[in-house]
Amino acid sequence: MALMPNLNPRIIEALYAEALALADEARSVFDRLRQGHYRNALVGANDDPEADLAHVQLSCEALRTTTRVMHCLAWLLNQRAYFAGELSELQLRRHGRLIANFPLSDPLHVLALPEEAQRCVQDSERL
């Protein structure tokens, strides 16, 4: 009996390519946004609790999003190794699980992000 009869190497490769692209996009988007927040803080938003809160929320969403994508990439790498014969079905069962009910981002925090960051968060949740 096959472990996951609906998966095949082509599906895994397509998802892997999508996840790699999303990881790169998320890193780029959140790095740009963090740099903007740092510049704004240096210009004069010092001691502004709202700016501090926005920066923390941005950092949390960046971490949540990249963690979600990296976990997916790890799972996909295990699937690739299985299809390449580098992992047995037993090894895949032991080490190739996705986290059930991975926590979604807070929709209110996501709405406070710029559109490109919102898209990255939503794409990571969909993936």
Side-chain angles (χ1 to χ4, degrees), residues 78-119:
N78 280 331
Q79 299 300 314
R80 290 176 83 203
Y82 172 72
F83 284 120
E86 298 168 359
L87 284 180
S88 70
E89 188 171 331
L90 177 62
Q91 290 171 314
L92 185 62
R93 286 182 190 271
R94 283 187 182 161
H95 306 291
R97 293 189 177 150
L98 283 172
I99 295 176
N101 302 319
F102 199 91
L104 299 177
S105 297
D106 183 332
L108 294 177
H109 291 166
V110 174
L111 286 175
L113 297 173
E115 188 175 317
E116 62 183 345
Q118 289 180 32
R119 190 180 64 255

Side-chain angles (χ1 to χ4, degrees), residues 1-75:
M1 181 169 147
L3 183 62
M4 294 184 187
N6 293 330
L7 289 180
N8 64 53
R10 287 191 346 215
I11 292 172
I12 295 300
E13 289 302 319
L15 288 171
Y16 182 71
E18 182 180 343
L20 279 178
L22 182 56
D24 190 44
E25 180 185 359
R27 181 201 52 79
S28 175
V29 164
F30 284 109
D31 278 351
R32 268 195 318 274
L33 291 173
R34 275 194 293 264
Q35 291 303 317
H37 274 275
Y38 288 136
R39 265 186 263 122
N40 291 342
L42 293 174
V43 169
N46 297 339
D47 301 327
D48 180 6
E50 288 185 26
D52 290 343
L53 179 59
H55 179 73
V56 169
Q57 288 174 340
L58 174 65
S59 295
C60 288
E61 287 309 318
L63 181 60
R64 205 175 277 120
T65 300
T66 54
T67 300
R68 192 180 293 120
V69 174
M70 290 299 132
H71 186 73
C72 183
L73 278 167
W75 181 83

